[in-house]
Amino acid sequence: MDGKVTTAIGSGDDAASAVAVQSDGMILVAGKSHNGNNFDYAVARYKTDGSLDSNFGTNGKLITAIGDGDDMISDVILQSDGKIVAAGYSESGAKRNFALVRYHSNGSLDTLFGAGGKLSTVIGSGHDEIKAVALQSDNKIVVAGYSHNGGNNDFALARYISGGSRDARSGSYGKSVTAIGTGHDKANAIAIQSDGKVVAAGNAHNGSNYDFALARYLTDGSLDPSFGTGGKLVTAIGDGHDTANAVAIQSDGGIVASGFSHNGSNNDFALVRYHP
């Protein structure tokens, strides 16, 4: 296979947006597949040699419809018990909502999670999308993305307990919405520190263009006042659009955010490291 694999999931357009590696080396790839009318959640599992795992889903692939419109996975994570959590959005009517699906290790839906293995969450009055998912040490699921407030987008986080219901002890009944700047803000990545604090990274509009934006939350979902200014910080990299798409925590507590910065002509790799 020369190190490359392509897989048709459905009969239309398919796109992968997330990957996770199991402890046995098998590779999970998740994204979306077009069913002829709209997109559905799509997951495939590959063996270490790149062939599809016939013990997963149907011949290594599975497709899950959630709402009556487009459904798309943005991120995927593995629980310690081998269950698979796929996170993204589901479109119902003209509105996108947070959406999660949990599968057993063989690809079947975990019916103990949400409603038959699937759940959707309304965060605000406009579009809501999960862009990233992380797992706490107690197996609670934390997601980050954005929610439209009627005028623009804000950072949006939610936390779920093992059965899929929102954790009422976190934020405003399990969700936290944060305006970083005065315009559009979007969280694209999430990381959980060893002390349980949650770091979300993305971008915030400064009135002219976008800058790197981070927010740190305490375990109860409130902003951490010891971080940045009131729990939030914005970093301009260049003179154009800057966006963080990934975030990681170093062993010394340092926070590393990466993404892109526009140099006036095109985008470049951009990396910022912050003290804890």
Side-chain angles (χ1 to χ4, degrees):
M1 297 182 185
D2 299 324
K4 301 176 287 185
V5 175
T6 58
T7 304
I9 306 297
S11 58
D13 289 329
D14 308 312
S17 51
V19 63
V21 179
Q22 297 182 174
S23 59
D24 59 5
M26 289 195 182
I27 303 164
L28 283 165
V29 179
K32 63 182 180 180
S33 177
H34 201 272
N35 60 25
N37 295 308
N38 48 54
F39 286 99
D40 295 323
Y41 271 29
V43 185
R45 187 163 72 190
Y46 300 87
K47 298 178 182 178
T48 55
D49 64 359
S51 62
L52 286 165
D53 175 18
S54 60
N55 294 317
F56 180 79
T58 302
N59 297 321
K61 303 177 285 186
L62 61 86
I63 296 173
T64 306
I66 301 173
D68 53 18
D70 288 331
D71 307 315
M72 177 181 170
I73 297 171
S74 297
D75 201 6
V76 66
I77 196 167
L78 289 160
Q79 295 187 173
S80 58
D81 58 5
K83 292 181 180 179
I84 302 157
V85 179
Y89 70 81
S90 175
E91 204 167 59
S92 180
K95 185 181 183 301
R96 294 177 178 177
N97 298 319
F98 276 22
L100 290 166
V101 176
R102 190 164 70 191
Y103 303 94
H104 292 293
S105 59
N106 65 359
S108 62
L109 287 166
D110 177 8
T111 57
L112 298 179
F113 182 80
K118 303 179 281 187
L119 65 85
S120 61
T121 303
V122 176
I123 304 296
S125 59
H127 287 313
D128 308 315
E129 287 192 32
I130 296 173
K131 304 296 288 184
V133 60
L135 198 66
Q136 293 186 172
S137 58
D138 59 2
N139 281 325
K140 289 182 179 178
I141 300 165
V142 185
V143 299
Y146 73 86
S147 177
H148 198 273
N149 60 25
N152 51 57
N153 297 324
D154 295 324
F155 271 35
L157 277 72
R159 187 166 70 190
Y160 302 85
I161 59 178
S162 60
S165 59
R166 273 183 290 156
D167 183 3
R169 293 171 293 180
S170 175
S172 175
Y173 191 59
K175 59 183 180 179
S176 298
V177 178
T178 306
I180 307 295
T182 58
H184 288 298
D185 310 315
K186 182 186 292 185
N188 295 319
I190 189 173
I192 299 178
Q193 299 184 172
S194 59
D195 59 4
K197 292 180 180 179
V198 177
V199 178
N203 60 23
H205 202 270
N206 60 25
S208 300
N209 50 55
Y210 288 98
D211 297 322
F212 270 35
L214 279 77
R216 189 163 71 188
Y217 299 83
L218 302 174
T219 55
D220 65 359
S222 62
L223 286 166
D224 177 8
S226 69
F227 181 78
T229 302
K232 304 178 283 187
L233 63 84
V234 176
T235 304
I237 310 294
D239 295 329
H241 291 309
D242 307 316
T243 293
N245 288 320
V247 65
I249 310 299
Q250 295 183 315
S251 59
D252 62 359
I255 300 165
V256 182
S258 67
F260 68 84
S261 176
H262 198 271
N263 60 23
S265 300
N266 49 54
N267 294 326
D268 295 324
F269 274 32
L271 186 69
V272 180
R273 185 167 67 191
Y274 303 90
H275 293 292

